[in-house]
Amino acid sequence: QFLYFIGKPFHLFTHQTAMFRVPAGCVPYGGITGYAPGKIPAISNGNDMNFSGDRNIVNGAVTGFKYQCVEFARRWLLQRKGLWLPDVAWAAHV
């Protein structure tokens, strides 16, 4: 399904109760965009305006909000280096 917004095609999809626009050619929310060393998947959050509010949990540890950049860094550190960072309110507090 496509929408046109200011002349650019967008894919329209839903995640739980929210609806997001993703520029055509971008990886939709939850899709794998690539892998970091150690085969840790980099997962798309859909677009730069999306914030799902869903927490990601790996082996019982909260890594952050799906799929934000800090969540990816925390997940990589946990899975690759065994480093668990405490849950904090703001990324700057890590």
Side-chain angles (χ1 to χ4, degrees), residues 13 15-16 18 20 28-31 41-59 61-75 87-88:
F13 69 99
H15 169 69
Q16 294 179 350
F20 304 106
Y29 180 89
I43 304 170
S44 173
N45 70 346
N47 64 49
D48 60 354
M49 299 302 292
N50 179 29
F51 178 76
S52 71
D54 298 334
R55 293 213 177 248
N56 198 41
I57 300 172
V58 175
N59 298 328
V62 174
T63 56
F65 290 107
K66 293 181 178 179
Y67 293 105
Q68 304 296 309
C69 58
V70 173
E71 184 280 326
F72 175 68
R74 290 173 61 131
R75 184 165 33 92
D87 196 17
V88 295

